[in-house]
Amino acid sequence: MKIVKNIILVVLIILCGYNLFTNNGIRTDVAMYNQKIDSIQKEIDSVENENKILNQHITQVDNEINKVEGSVTNVYKNITEIKNNTHEKVTAVNDYTIHDLLKFFADRYESNVSETRLDSTTITTNNKISH
């Protein structure tokens, strides 16, 4: 029995020694891991800063897109309004009688005809003066 106790005691001493030596290796590994953690944390911080800058840029671009979309919406509204007005005028022309059409064109082009007559009279007068 004494031999078994001695063997157990020797095994315990060996285990304690092994434990002491292996703990020392763990301590150096912890320092190395702390350095790696610090370097990774620095990278994370720089990525977060870049993310903030990109988010600000995205917000600016989004605001510009919203402005352009508003302008496009206004243009579409204007186009629709012009289409409707033109359609109403075309429909109204379809309802004109021949007498109404003649009166419309006579009234519309009467001012152009009188201006043309005035211009031709002025040209004739100018030609007579220059001779």
Side-chain angles (χ1 to χ4, degrees), residues 23-97:
N23 280 342
N24 200 10
I26 290 174
R27 287 183 189 149
T28 56
D29 287 340
V30 170
M32 184 175 56
Y33 285 124
N34 283 337
Q35 288 176 349
K36 287 182 181 180
I37 289 171
D38 289 340
S39 68
I40 291 172
Q41 185 62 42
K42 288 178 184 177
E43 288 181 36
I44 289 172
D45 291 341
S46 68
V47 169
E48 285 177 347
N49 288 336
E50 289 294 322
N51 237 3
K52 287 178 184 178
I53 292 169
L54 289 175
N55 283 337
Q56 290 172 348
H57 185 68
I58 288 171
T59 303
Q60 290 173 347
V61 170
D62 192 38
N63 289 338
E64 290 176 16
I65 287 172
N66 288 337
K67 288 178 185 177
V68 170
E69 283 179 347
S71 297
V72 168
T73 302
N74 287 337
V75 167
Y76 279 132
K77 286 179 184 177
N78 289 342
I79 288 172
T80 304
E81 187 176 323
I82 290 169
K83 277 184 185 179
N84 291 338
N85 290 341
T86 304
H87 181 70
E88 288 175 8
K89 289 178 181 179
V90 168
T91 305
V93 168
N94 287 338
D95 294 338
Y96 278 7
T97 62

Side-chain angles (χ1 to χ4, degrees), residues 113-124:
V113 170
S114 64
E115 286 176 11
T116 305
R117 287 182 189 157
L118 180 62
D119 289 342
S120 63
T121 306
T122 307
I123 291 170
T124 307

Side-chain angles (χ1 to χ4, degrees), residues 100-129:
D100 292 335
L101 285 173
L102 290 173
K103 182 177 184 319
F104 172 78
F105 286 112
D107 290 344
R108 180 172 185 162
Y109 295 110
E110 182 179 339
S111 63
N112 289 340
V113 170
S114 64
E115 286 176 11
T116 305
R117 287 182 189 157
L118 180 62
D119 289 342
S120 63
T121 306
T122 307
I123 291 170
T124 307
T125 309
N126 285 341
N127 285 338
K128 289 179 182 177
I129 294 172

